[in-house]
Every structure is written in structure tokens, then in C-alpha cells.
């Protein structure tokens, strides 16, 4: 891969890249099938991604006709990398086995190692015989919706297709590597004003936040809507705040420290709740929720913005779902896409039905939504929330930071890119957008 890296860094043309031989192996971060029980008996927080994530050479997989080979310049940590690396809530090798049963090409994914990573950006090296939209040399960001169009439901919304998967989580050959093979319909044009690492962190969380808040498949937020955002300086939350502000909404951001509160204010969110300082105890014990604490939380929101949230941007799950349903406005929507603190959630159904609230599920984004979200980044209207950068060798440490909630925004990972700051091909537009906005999370992060 060094030859590809050197060629890309020296500005080689697509023809020159296409003329270089594809190597037999590449450097990748993966978990091993024979280690899925290595953390047996340990609590979640004690399971250490630094022990389960390996960075070694793996063979280059075959490329299907609708796929492309991409040299990965940078990637990112997502929470799904944490899930895979601690083998929770289940081992992702089951996903690979299922994909392996789907087709001959699916079988390539069913291996004793799982290359992780659901975000990346880089340069196209080869395209399969059925690919018409992309060519070697294209600078691309990669989104993680791994789906084809064979199920009729996919033509309404690809997220509803029976065989919809998340690349690098439910499929193999993910982005935390120097090289990847992806479907052509995962490619997006790289934002020219951003560096490799700034471009690599957006697709998964930015597209998810777009679908949850902007898309008609989500809450379709309108001007003036009050939106309560949990984890408002986290991966999803950092984009959600920007969408609410862009769309004329009123964000109420929840964070857990004064440093995160300061960062959130820097983003332009005026209504901030520090859950660390407020010390909400929504659960009195393991089995019982405390409605008085929901009320205290609701009063705090009203004190900040004068009304209840039209939309709740929900992802912590068990810890917060009861409170989220309670504080939503009459007729409001609770958008949920995750359950970081536990997926067996509990809420008081009376508050849902009597006040005509809706719980609406969301999951990543279809190609159109991912492209729209990427377009907003390319237009400089949504900015990356990159807060830290690690080399690929330290992917375990980077995942550990996210596992223990020690990060803000997104953690980028340098793969083939030898240093930060490379890959910007439109510096004039970068200047117009503003360095301060693009690097907000790096500058103001704790
Ligand atoms: P991050 O860890 O970057 O951010 C989540 C934030 O949520 C944390 O920073 C923390 O903020 C807050 N949080 C965590 N636990 C709790 C809790 N118990 N109570 C209240 N707040 C909490 O993760 P992401 O934003 O990237 O992802 C969040 C979740 O969404 C993960 O479970 C992830 O797997 C899932 N996800 C799902 C997607 C989908 O398509 N379905 C796509 C992307 C993510 P603070 O401490 O400041 O309050």
C-alpha cells in the first residue's frame, strides 16, 4: 500500500493509480473469532478494546462487479466499533455468518477475523465491471449503508430492505484499515475543503442525525421546534445541534461536564443542561424510575426555553427513555436510534398515549439522505466534529476513549495519511467557510 500512498500524496492521476498493482495484503484493525469469549465474566466497562483490537496484515478480498477498491487515507471510531470490540450485545461474527449465507459474494465476508470501521475517506483505486459512477483517482468519503436494490422495499427506502447492513459492523472489510472494498453505492464525493481526517468522521453520525431530524423518514423538524438533544457534544449530538440551529429550531443540549457545556455554547447552543451538575436520578433503583426526577428535568427545560420539546433526540436508551417520553411536548416526537445504556427501555405509557406522543425509530440513513448530509458538509453548512486524531496502530486506545465517554465529537484515525492536515484540495473555500468553524471541536474540546 506504500506505493499507493506515495502516489496519492504526490498527486498521481487516476490512470497512474489504475496502473499500480493491487497488493496481496493490507494493514487492518480487526477482532478475532477465536477471542469472542475473552472478556467472559467482566462488566462492560472492564472489557478493553485495546486487548481485542489487533492491527496486522490481512489478505486483500475479491471485488464484486458492483464494488470498488479504495485506499483509505483516514477513518473514525464509531460506537459500533466499541460494541464489536467488547463483543456486546453479541459477537458480530454472527452477522458475518448470516451475510455468508446470502450469496457467493457474501461468503467472502465470513472469515475468522472481522475488519472493523464504518467510516472512511480515501481514493478510489479500482472499480468493478458494473460501476459507472466512479473511477480510479476519485476522492471519496464512504457511508456505511451496505445494501443492494433487490428487495422491493429498498426502492421506497433502502433502510427498509431485508438485507440492509452496516458496513464494517454487519459486513467485513471495514474502514479502519489502509484499504477497503465497498459497494459503489456507498461512495460520496469527499468535501474538498476538508483534510482526510476531517472528511472521514462525518458520514455515519452526520447522516444519522440528518435522517432523525431533517428527513421525512425522521422528525422532519420545522422552524421554531424545540429539540432536546442528549449527548449534545457526542458523535451524533454534535451534528444534531448543528441541524437544529441550521433549520431554525431551538436546541436544548444535555452534556455531562462544564467543559462539554462550554463546547456546546461555542457551537451556538444557548440552552445547556449539565447532567453531571444537575445529578438527575431518573432510576431510583435498578427496577424503579422516579417520576419526580423526570418532573425536575422537565422544569429545567422549561426554565431554559419556556416550553416542552417538540422533538427528543434520544439514544442513551434505558437511562433516559422514561424521562424523554415524559418531557416531550403533547403531540411531540421521541426519535430513537440507539440504547447505549441498555436496550430494554421502560417508560410510562400513559404519558405517551394520553398526550398523543410518538416514539419513532431511526437507523443510519438511505443513500439519498447520506448524500444530502454529505452535500451540507461540502457546502460548509455542517462542520466536522473532529476532536482528536490517533494513528491506526492506536485504534484500541481510541476505541477505549469512546467506550469510557472520555471524548467529545468524533475521534479520527489516520490510516494511509502520514500526518494531519493533508488532502485539502480547495483551500480558498476552506478559508471562506472559516477555520474556526471547521476546527471547533479540536480547539474547544477539553
Ligand atoms: P458518543 O459516545 O460519541 O456520544 C454519546 C453521548 O451520549 C455521550 O457523549 C454522552 O454525553 C451521552 N450519554 C452516554 N450515556 C448516557 C447516559 N446513560 N445518559 C445520558 N447521556 C448519555 O456516541 P454517538 O453519539 O456516536 O452514538 C450514541 C449511540 O448511538 C451509540 O449507542 C451508538 O451505537 C448509536 N448510534 C446509532 C446509529 C444508528 O444508525 N442507529 C448511528 C450512530 C450511533 P454526555 O456524557 O456529555 O451527556
Amino acid at each position: 500500500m506504500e506505493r499507493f500512498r506515495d502516489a496519492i500524496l504526490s498527486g498521481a492521476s487516476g490512470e497512474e493509480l489504475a496502473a499500480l498493482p493491487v497488493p496481496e495484503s493490507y494493514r487492518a484493525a480487526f477482532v478475532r473469532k477465536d477471542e469472542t469469549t475473552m472478556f467472559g465474566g467482566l462488566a462492560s466497562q472492564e472489557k478493553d478494546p485495546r486487548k481485542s483490537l489487533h492491527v496486522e496484515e490481512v489478505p486483500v478480498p475479491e471485488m464484486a462487479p458492483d464494488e470498488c477498491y479504495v485506499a483509505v487515507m483516514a477513518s473514525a471510531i464509531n460506537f459500533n466499533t466499541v460494541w464489536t470490540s467488547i463483543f456486546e450485545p453479541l459477537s458480530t461474527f454472527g452477522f458475518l455468518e448470516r451475510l455468508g449465507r446470502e450469496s457467493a459474494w457474501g461468503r467472502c465476508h465470513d472469515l475468522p477475523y472481522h475488519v472493523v470501521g464504518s467510516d472512511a475517506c480515501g481514493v478510489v483505486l479500482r472499480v468493478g465491471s458494473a460501476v459507472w459512477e466512479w473511477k480510479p483517482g476519485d476522492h471519496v468519503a464512504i457511508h456505511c449503508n451496505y445494501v443492494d436494490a433487490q428487495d422491493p422495499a429498498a426502492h421506497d427506502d433502502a433502510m427498509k430492505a431485508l438485507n440492509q447492513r452496516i458496513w464494517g459492523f454487519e459486513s467485513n472489510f471495514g474502514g479502519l484499515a489502509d484499504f477497503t472494498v465497498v459497494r459503489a453505492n456507498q461512495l460520496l464525493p469527499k468535501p474538498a475543503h476538508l483534510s482526510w481526517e476531517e472528511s472521514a468522521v462525518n458520514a455515519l453520525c452526520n447522516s444519522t442525525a440528518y435522517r432523525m431530524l431533517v428527513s421525512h423518514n425522521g422528525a422532519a423538524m420545522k422552524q421554531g421546534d424545540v429539540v432536546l438533544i442528549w449527548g449534545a457534544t457526542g458523535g451524533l449530538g454534535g451534528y444534531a445541534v448543528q441541524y437544529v440551529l441550521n433549520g431554525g429550531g431551538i436546541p436544548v443540549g444535555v452534556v455531562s461536564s462544564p467543559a462539554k457545556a462550554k463546547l456546546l455554547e461555542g457551537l451556538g447552543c444557548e440552552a445547556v443542561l449539565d447532567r453531571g451538575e444537575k445529578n438527575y436520578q431518573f432510576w431510583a433503583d435498578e427496577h424503579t424510575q422516579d417520576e419526580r426526577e423526570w418532573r425536575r428535568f422537565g422544569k429545567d427545560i422549561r426554565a431554559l426555553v419556556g416550553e416542552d420539546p417538540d422533538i427528543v433526540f434520544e439514544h442513551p436508551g434505558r437511562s433516559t427513555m422514561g424521562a424523554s417520553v415524559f418531557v416531550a411536548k403533547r403531540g411531540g416526537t421521541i426519535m430513537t436510534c440507539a440504547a447505549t445504556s441498555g436496550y430494554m427501555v421502560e417508560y410510562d405509557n400513559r404519558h405517551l398515549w394520553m398526550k398523543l406522543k410518538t416514539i419513532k425509530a431511526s437507523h443510519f440513513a438511505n443513500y439519498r439522505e447520506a448524500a444530502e448530509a454529505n452535500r451540507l458538509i461540502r457546502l460548509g453548512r455542517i462542520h466536522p466534529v473532529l476532536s482528536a486524531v490517533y494513528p491506526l496502530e492506536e485504534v484500541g486506545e481510541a476505541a477505549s476513549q469512546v467506550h469510557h465517554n472520555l471524548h467529545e465529537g468524533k475521534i479520527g484515525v489516520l490510516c494511509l495519511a502520514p500526518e494531519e492536515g493533508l488532502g485539502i484540495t480547495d483551500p480558498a473555500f476552506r478559508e471562506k467557510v472559516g477555520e474556526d468553524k471547521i476546527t471547533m471541536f479540536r480547539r474547544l474540546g477539553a
Side-chain angles (χ1 to χ4, degrees), residues 79 83 204 235-236 256 260 275 319 337-338 340 363-364 405 407:
F79 216 95
W83 297 128
L204 191 147
L236 287 173
S256 62
K260 288 181 176 182
R275 69 181 172 100
S319 303
C337 76
T340 313
H363 186 40
F364 186 59
N405 196 17
H407 69 301

Side-chain angles (χ1 to χ4, degrees), residues 293-312:
E293 286 294 276
W294 296 349
R295 284 189 192 284
R296 181 161 75 90
F297 181 48
K299 272 190 192 158
D300 287 343
I301 296 169
R302 284 184 187 171
L304 286 172
V305 293
E307 53 189 309
D308 298 330
D310 297 276
I311 301 167
V312 181

Side-chain angles (χ1 to χ4, degrees), residues 81-131:
T81 302
V82 175
W83 297 128
T84 302
S85 66
I86 62 173
F87 309 106
E88 281 196 16
L90 34 81
S91 151
T92 48
F93 285 98
F95 300 142
L96 303 187
E97 286 162 17
R98 199 170 312 146
L99 175 53
R101 290 192 291 273
E102 188 176 287
S103 70
W105 288 108
R107 263 201 295 289
C108 306
H109 292 251
D110 184 9
L111 295 166
Y113 57 87
H114 184 183
V115 178
V116 294
S118 299
D119 263 321
C121 82
V123 181
V124 176
L125 300 179
R126 296 282 193 278
V127 299
S129 54
V131 175

